[in-house]
Amino acid sequence: MPTPARDRLLYFSPTDGGIEHSITRRDFRESLVYNLLLEPNGLLITDVFFFNCTFLIELAEGGRHSLFTRALEESLVVPAFRDQGTHDFATSLRRDIGESNVMGVRASQYATSPPEFARWLDHCYSRSAERRRLVWPPDMGTAFGDLMTRVFSRDELSSGDEGLRSTWSATRPLREASLEDARLTTHLAGGTGIRRGEIFNSLGRRLGLLEAHETFTKPGDLLGEAVARSRQGGAPDVEQVRLLVDTVNLCYQRSQTEQFGLDQNYSVTQNVPGVLFRNAGPVISDLDAGAPAPAGGTAAFTLKVRMPSVETLLRADSGSLVAIRKSDRAEEYFTKRLAWSSGPTERAEAELGDALRAYVAELRRFAVGPQEHRGVTFVQRTLNETVNLAVGSLVGYGLGAAGASPEISLISGIATGATAVVAKLAGDRPRVPRSDFTVRVAAAPEVVLPPGP
């Protein structure tokens, strides 16, 4: 009897409140909109991210029919609850997050309150015909602790960046001490393995940024305190703290992705904001951005399409947008995208281009307002391809020549298909109203990793 196909989900890490100090509101919205509308994957969001991500909360509270909450209703957003008996957000907030003292939820982030927000999420979730969900596998803390031990135990990096290698080497005493501290405090709190927040609290105490009885709510607090202390002429070294914070966050997201990927019903792919990948990617051996490209090269091509701006899409009727996302037009685009990835011929490229333009034209019909010309670059991916689509390599795929800004670009897609890179083109003018765009080629774009073996 054939094995049932596993649904593909994208671990949507921009909703991690632990990294919101690293990304902007604009970057978050672009990533969310493009992943929802242009990607075949549903977005997997773990329970606490619904309650600790300022950008998500703002979007969901801002309108009773936001694109995000509509996607939750239509099972394009899938929650991951940490208990088998949890089937709703109110229980998740009260019991799984609240009683376990999970850090990161701040009442000040809400226009309403966390319990009221949970009720609103449940109202939307209850309207879903499928009510898809994942359940945390047992002992996530141990899996994270094992990965952190392997990563923090690395003596030397293979990166060609001498400054990065030097910074990493200098953090060795902090790495060793914080792991031991975090294991102990996690155990005393009744947890297993290591909790991410306990590593940050240990770093804060070891660096003299926290008193023994104090804790940080979010890692951004640790980094902010380090920056403030440094400006006053004192320790610590901010770049060392930043590297450790980014490394812990990337390890946390990677560990969760691997564990969720063990679910027999789902194949989970990791989405990594480039700001984390640029700094911490070389620290994690199998994410080393310096890894050689796959033999035979990688196929890629760029299309120029006229699309509604992200803000136009967010203001449009979300029901119409989701209906288009689930329409035959969208399915044709996804099918042609997979066909091109399987055999990147000129004919497959042309058919993918036609399918994308037809799909985007439907979005334009229902999203009236400022439009933008975007460059969409498709990059062939294979399941066993080592991740190397990062930072400068994407410019080599034509983004630089097209005048696209990596700072606002997006990488996503299924690991066995085509990765789509969406970027605003230089010199573009929306039809209504007219305005100028400033192109800044600086930050790294997002990267999507293949599922684990």
Side-chain angles (χ1 to χ4, degrees), residues 66 68 100 180 269 313 410 413:
S66 70
F68 174 79
S100 298
E180 292 306 312
T269 302
L313 288 165
L410 167 82

Side-chain angles (χ1 to χ4, degrees), residues 58 72 123 150 296 384 423 432 447:
E58 176 190 48
L72 179 62
H123 171 77
R150 293 196 301 273
N384 58 0
V432 181
V447 176

Side-chain angles (χ1 to χ4, degrees), residues 59-108:
L59 197 59
E61 282 189 328
R64 286 304 187 184
H65 296 288
S66 70
L67 181 59
F68 174 79
T69 51
R70 187 78 71 173
L72 179 62
E73 291 181 12
E74 296 293 334
S75 296
L76 294 175
V77 168
V78 180
F81 296 125
R82 66 187 68 201
D83 189 274
Q84 184 67 43
T86 300
H87 296 269
D88 60 82
F89 289 95
T91 301
S92 175
L93 176 66
R94 183 188 69 255
R95 184 183 66 193
D96 303 341
I97 296 173
E99 293 180 6
S100 298
N101 295 315
V102 177
M103 291 178 280
V105 181
R106 291 173 170 168
S108 60

Side-chain angles (χ1 to χ4, degrees), residues 294 297-298 341 379-386 414-419 450-451:
T298 302
S341 178
V379 183
Q380 186 186 33
R381 296 289 305 280
T382 59
L383 184 62
N384 58 0
E385 177 183 345
T386 300
I414 56 176
T416 53
T419 290

Side-chain angles (χ1 to χ4, degrees), residues 41-304:
N41 310 54
L43 304 187
L44 174 64
I45 301 177
T46 193
D47 50 12
V48 70
F49 291 179
F50 286 89
F51 297 101
N52 73 5
C53 178
T54 300
F55 304 126
L56 182 153
I57 294 166
E58 176 190 48
L59 197 59
E61 282 189 328
R64 286 304 187 184
H65 296 288
S66 70
L67 181 59
F68 174 79
T69 51
R70 187 78 71 173
L72 179 62
E73 291 181 12
E74 296 293 334
S75 296
L76 294 175
V77 168
V78 180
F81 296 125
R82 66 187 68 201
D83 189 274
Q84 184 67 43
T86 300
H87 296 269
D88 60 82
F89 289 95
T91 301
S92 175
L93 176 66
R94 183 188 69 255
R95 184 183 66 193
D96 303 341
I97 296 173
E99 293 180 6
S100 298
N101 295 315
V102 177
M103 291 178 280
V105 181
R106 291 173 170 168
S108 60
Q109 293 175 279
Y110 295 82
T112 55
S113 67
E116 186 174 345
F117 186 66
R119 288 193 290 273
W120 169 233
L121 291 177
D122 279 328
H123 171 77
C124 299
Y125 190 45
S126 67
R127 295 165 62 92
S128 170
E130 300 176 67
R131 295 198 69 177
R132 294 200 294 171
R133 66 168 187 147
L134 267 75
V135 176
W136 283 33
D139 221 359
M140 287 274 270
T142 296
F144 172 60
D146 290 345
L147 178 58
M148 283 306 315
T149 299
R150 293 196 301 273
V151 171
F152 265 24
S153 297
R154 289 191 69 181
D155 290 329
E156 297 181 358
L157 303 182
S158 59
S159 172
D161 186 334
E162 184 177 348
L164 180 62
R165 294 200 308 270
S166 176
T167 299
W168 180 254
S169 178
T171 63
R172 181 174 180 176
L174 272 175
R175 285 184 271 126
E176 293 176 345
S178 64
L179 279 178
E180 292 306 312
D181 291 348
R183 281 196 190 92
L184 176 59
T185 52
T186 299
H187 174 73
L188 293 175
T192 59
I194 291 177
R195 286 184 173 180
R196 174 171 62 161
E198 298 300 347
I199 298 179
F200 297 130
N201 289 332
S202 171
L203 291 173
R205 296 182 187 111
R206 294 279 177 175
L207 293 169
L209 306 176
L210 272 182
E211 297 296 333
H213 64 283
E214 295 178 323
T215 60
F216 285 123
T217 305
K218 293 187 178 183
D221 299 336
L222 166 62
L223 187 58
E225 189 64 30
V227 170
R229 193 71 58 90
S230 177
R231 287 173 177 169
Q232 296 170 2
D237 185 296
V238 174
E239 290 311 307
Q240 291 182 18
V241 177
R242 192 186 312 277
L243 177 58
L244 293 177
V245 167
D246 287 352
T247 299
V248 173
N249 282 334
L250 187 49
C251 284
Y252 179 82
Q253 295 170 2
R254 183 144 179 77
S255 177
Q256 287 214 329
T257 302
E258 292 174 345
Q259 294 302 301
F260 288 136
L262 298 176
D263 192 295
Q264 62 181 354
N265 298 314
Y266 297 98
S267 174
V268 182
T269 302
Q270 185 177 0
N271 168 278
V272 183
V275 68
L276 294 188
F277 193 92
R278 179 186 55 197
N279 205 17
V283 175
I284 304 176
S285 57
D286 63 334
L287 301 189
D288 193 339
T298 302
F301 76 99
T302 298
L303 292 171
K304 296 180 181 179

Side-chain angles (χ1 to χ4, degrees), residues 29-38 43 59-60 62-77 120 124 309-323 325 363:
R29 292 191 167 204
E30 289 206 346
S31 185
L32 177 68
V33 168
Y34 287 136
N35 273 293
L36 281 175
L37 298 180
L38 296 181
L43 304 187
L59 197 59
R64 286 304 187 184
H65 296 288
S66 70
L67 181 59
F68 174 79
T69 51
R70 187 78 71 173
L72 179 62
E73 291 181 12
E74 296 293 334
S75 296
L76 294 175
V77 168
W120 169 233
C124 299
S309 70
V310 168
E311 291 304 319
T312 296
L313 288 165
L314 288 173
R315 287 193 298 268
D317 178 72
S318 57
S320 297
L321 295 185
V322 170
R325 165 62 177 77
L363 294 175

Side-chain angles (χ1 to χ4, degrees), residues 400-414:
S405 167
E407 185 176 7
I408 56 173
S409 62
L410 167 82
I411 302 178
S412 190
I414 56 176

